[in-house]
Amino acid sequence: MIRVCVVGTGYVGLVTGACLADFGHAVRCVDVDAAKIARLSGGEIPFFEPGLEELVARNLEAERLAFDTDLAAATRWADVIFITVGTPPLKDGSADLSAVFAVGEAIARAAKGYKVVVQKSTAPVGTARRLWKALRKTAGRRAVLDVASNPEFLREGSAIETSMRPDRVVIGAETPRSEKLLRELHEPLYLLETPITVTNLETAELIKYASNAFLATKISFINEVANLCEKVGADVSTVARAMGQDRRIGPKFLHAGPGYGGSCFPKDTLALASFARAAGAPFTLVETVVQVNVRQKTRMVAKAKEALGGLKGRTIAVLGLTFKPNTDDIRESPALDIMQGLLRAGAKIVAHDPVGAPHVKRLPIGKKIAFAADPYDAVRGADAALLVTEWNEYRTLEFRKLKKLLRRPVLLDLRNIYDADEARAAGLTYVGVGQGTPPAAKARAPRRKTR
């Protein structure tokens, strides 16, 4: 059993702490927010993640997991200290590292003996080495502090599974003692034959950014393909499926839609572009990926405008507010930008989301839109239903009921989850993403009679 302190009880910190406790380690999660710590100590989870409430409760009861506000005491107690505080983007796209270094300084002032300080917060390449230098200077001879990098690869909505059964573990450790301790920390994963890569600090940090940027690139790539499909009469779903059958490409992240969002991809692509420019190696591909993603959300507003012949005075039922299903995370959600665009064009919005609506209500945009109790309530009297997030409960909507409730029978499916032929057979005007009409089909279409 290793004694672990996790600093920060946000998404990454809480999931990391709970999973390490479930591995059998003794874990203390620390945060400056006393009210939040009190709620967590009572088993109350501040965000939605399937299975996390049960995992925290089980380890609280087993006394492997505890929550505290005393960082100094937790530092002296722990063998390994994880830093999982936020690194939000600044105005220029670079990462704000102030919280990382503030926590590091506090750890160094309190530490005695040997400790491994693990940078788990996503931070630009070189951060861990700078942190190591700063900690050693502050600690002096009172403590021996090693700094390591252990990037997280959590997937919101399935974070427990991706922590307990990860695709890989990356450890940036440059002393035998820190490497040994971190290998022991992940020992339960050896039974699963989880690949573990041990490398230097800079390589570990870059693996995280390169991974997220590549996935973001796949999303922006297929969205560009979708836009081309609409112009030339091809179907992006078929194109993506055939592409994904090539094992060199793979099928994941080839789903056309309104663009990527969340806490990682937008922030990490901006940060990578920023520190790459600063390093003298501009990452023009990633910079373009960012631009494509911004443009894709604007295109979704244009789709709605084209389908309705204008947006001024139209009422749009927006289904889905979170950036993906099975999470209440609305950070950088495409729905927020799309709704802003709709509002600017003069539309009215009635929104629904199974868990994300309370968070949107607290934003400025939440004061400008109405909220519905269920998806059918949202579409009642609306000029169009606009599906943004592919929650399972939206997959089983009855098309004939939608047609009856809508003022105009327009269904804008930004995730391509519905069968277009079935929707049209039910009398809906169906609009997907990347579903072009072949020129021959256009030529066969009957001409409208003029009066």
Side-chain angles (χ1 to χ4, degrees):
M1 180 188 73
I2 296 173
R3 292 173 297 186
V4 180
C5 169
V6 179
V7 187
T9 57
Y11 191 88
V12 173
L14 187 53
V15 171
T16 298
C19 290
L20 287 174
D22 214 54
F23 282 167
H25 301 299
V27 179
R28 289 186 190 178
C29 292
V30 177
D31 202 292
V32 295
D33 188 337
K36 185 179 184 183
I37 288 297
R39 292 193 298 270
L40 286 167
S41 297
E44 183 182 338
I45 308 302
F47 52 84
F48 177 77
E49 176 61 38
L52 184 58
E53 185 175 350
E54 295 80 5
L55 187 69
V56 168
R58 180 168 69 243
N59 286 284
L60 279 171
E61 184 178 359
E63 298 185 347
R64 290 188 296 264
L65 180 63
F67 297 95
D68 203 343
T69 57
D70 193 338
L71 176 56
T75 294
R76 290 190 290 270
W77 167 83
D79 304 307
V80 178
I81 305 158
F82 283 88
I83 299 177
T84 66
V85 295
T87 55
L90 296 168
K91 289 183 178 180
D92 64 355
S94 62
D96 182 353
L97 302 175
S98 57
V100 171
F101 282 89
V103 168
E105 286 293 310
I107 291 169
R109 288 194 300 269
K112 294 180 181 179
Y114 179 73
K115 312 287 179 184
V116 178
V117 179
V118 183
Q119 174 199 305
K120 204 165 187 73
S121 300
T122 303
V125 175
T127 301
R129 198 167 297 282
R130 286 174 52 206
L131 183 65
W132 201 357
K133 183 178 179 180
L135 265 59
R136 284 185 166 181
K137 182 178 179 180
T138 300
R141 296 183 179 181
R142 287 182 295 101
V144 177
L145 302 178
D146 278 338
V147 170
S149 175
N150 177 220
E152 55 86 13
F153 299 99
L154 301 178
R155 298 175 205 149
E156 292 190 46
S158 57
I160 305 303
E161 177 67 17
T162 51
S163 291
M164 307 293 274
R165 295 178 176 274
D167 295 327
R168 80 287 204 193
V169 171
V170 175
I171 297 172
E174 298 189 3
T175 68
R177 197 173 180 182
S178 62
E179 179 184 339
K180 181 176 183 294
L181 197 53
L182 291 177
R183 282 187 180 275
E184 289 176 4
L185 193 69
H186 294 93
E187 189 172 6
L189 298 178
Y190 284 91
L191 296 175
L192 303 176
E193 299 183 347
T194 302
I196 295 181
T197 296
V198 179
T199 183
N200 63 25
L201 298 174
E202 287 77 12
T203 303
E205 290 169 320
L206 188 52
I207 287 170
K208 167 68 174 182
Y209 279 104
S211 298
N212 278 358
F214 184 77
L215 296 176
T217 299
K218 288 187 76 173
I219 294 170
S220 284
F221 180 88
I222 201 63
N223 282 338
E224 289 282 78
V225 172
N227 298 335
L228 179 60
C229 284
E230 293 178 3
K231 295 295 185 182
V232 301
D235 177 61
V236 73
S237 298
T238 305
V239 172
R241 186 165 54 251
M243 286 175 60
Q245 289 166 348
D246 186 329
R247 282 177 288 183
R248 296 171 300 175
I249 298 172
K252 293 185 177 180
F253 292 86
L254 286 179
H255 301 285
Y260 58 77
S263 62
C264 292
F265 288 1
K267 173 175 69 72
D268 292 351
T269 48
L270 286 172
L272 176 55
S274 176
F275 72 74
R277 285 193 301 270
F283 212 140
T284 52
L285 177 58
V286 172
E287 291 174 355
T288 302
V289 165
V290 172
Q291 294 168 9
V292 168
N293 196 58
V294 172
R295 189 165 63 240
Q296 187 69 4
K297 289 178 281 191
T298 303
R299 288 183 66 88
M300 299 302 103
V301 177
K303 270 183 171 296
K305 183 178 181 180
E306 182 180 356
L308 292 171
L311 290 170
K312 189 172 183 179
R314 310 295 192 200
T315 298
I316 312 295
V318 175
L319 303 181
L321 300 172
T322 56
F323 86 96
K324 64 182 289 189
N326 296 321
T327 178
D328 63 349
D329 196 345
I330 60 169
R331 286 175 289 182
E332 301 294 333
S333 173
L336 299 179
D337 289 319
I338 291 169
M339 289 193 297
Q340 291 283 15
L342 294 172
L343 290 171
R344 282 194 295 268
K348 299 175 183 178
I349 295 172
V350 180
H352 176 266
D353 188 279
V355 298
H359 300 303
V360 177
K361 288 179 180 179
R362 290 193 285 267
L363 299 177
I365 194 174
K367 308 296 188 294
K368 303 175 183 177
I369 65 178
F371 294 87
D374 61 61
Y376 291 119
D377 186 36
V379 304
R380 192 184 310 275
D383 294 290
L386 180 71
L387 182 127
V388 187
T389 312
E390 65 276 32
W391 285 93
N392 280 338
E393 71 177 80
Y394 298 151
R395 294 178 182 272
T396 56
L397 295 178
E398 298 176 27
F399 292 147
R400 296 194 184 279
K401 188 173 182 178
L402 288 180
K403 182 179 183 298
K404 183 178 180 181
L405 292 172
L406 285 163
R407 182 184 302 154
R408 297 184 179 208
V410 177
L411 175 59
L412 293 150
D413 179 7
L414 304 191
R415 297 290 181 175
N416 291 342
I417 69 171
Y418 300 122
D419 185 292
D421 292 336
E422 289 182 10
R424 288 170 182 143
L428 291 168
T429 299
Y430 176 86
V431 180
V433 176
Q435 299 180 14
T437 303
K442 291 180 182 178
R444 291 195 300 270
R447 294 181 179 179
R448 293 181 179 179
K449 293 181 179 180
T450 57
R451 292 182 179 180

